[in-house]
Amino acid sequence: PSIEFGTDTTRAIARFVFSGSAARFPDVKLVFSHAGGTMPILIERFDLLSRTPPYPQSLPAGFRAHARNFYYDTAQASNAVALTALKAVVPTSHILFGTDYPFRTSLEHVDGLKAAAVFTEAEVRGIEREHAMALLGRPR
């Protein structure tokens, strides 16, 4: 399970993009857990694959253009390595707070997010609340 949760997340991202679903449904907002799993680490492979037939025709902007449109939470990934990799692939505004409760506590993720020292204070505030509010809409 320690390997498969993140790997399953990566498989879901890859399947959504390479099946053409991301291109067919560009307005669908998806949130992937675990900071995208291994996707940020495998980004070079996905970028290369998207330039290999038959994908250039269905993914003219490549894999990364679609991956940047998704949202990602910090569940089980509130550490400098995972968050640095994710930040290199997606805009910070697409990173949301996540915990995987009850497997880990919210406090562990709050502390980990800050201890990782990957984001500015303003970016951390965004991850902790503002990005989700922008995605979901503000309460009336």
Side-chain angles (χ1 to χ4, degrees), residues 30-50:
L30 294 175
V31 179
F32 289 103
S33 294
H34 314 120
T38 58
M39 181 276 295
I41 305 304
L42 298 174
I43 193 67
E44 180 180 20
R45 292 178 185 209
F46 290 141
D47 284 343
L48 289 171
L49 181 60
S50 71

Side-chain angles (χ1 to χ4, degrees), residues 80-128:
V81 174
L83 296 174
T84 299
L86 182 62
K87 187 177 181 181
V89 176
V90 305
T92 303
S93 62
H94 284 223
I95 302 173
L96 311 170
F97 185 77
T99 68
D100 259 359
Y101 180 84
F103 303 107
R104 296 208 23 224
T105 68
S106 296
L107 184 57
E108 286 178 288
H109 283 81
V110 167
D111 290 345
L113 184 61
K114 291 177 182 169
V118 172
F119 304 103
T120 65
E121 286 183 34
E123 288 172 328
V124 169
R125 281 192 306 278
I127 291 166
E128 290 178 336

Side-chain angles (χ1 to χ4, degrees), residues 2-26:
S2 294
I3 296 169
E4 287 305 315
F5 289 134
T7 303
D8 285 346
T9 301
T10 303
R11 284 187 189 104
I13 297 166
R15 180 177 288 286
F16 196 74
V17 172
F18 288 108
S19 71
S21 296
R24 282 194 309 277
F25 307 106

Side-chain angles (χ1 to χ4, degrees), residues 67-88:
R68 291 179 56 81
N69 288 329
F70 304 141
Y71 292 80
Y72 302 87
D73 78 20
T74 60
Q76 299 282 356
S78 57
N79 66 79
V81 174
L83 296 174
T84 299
L86 182 62
K87 187 177 181 181

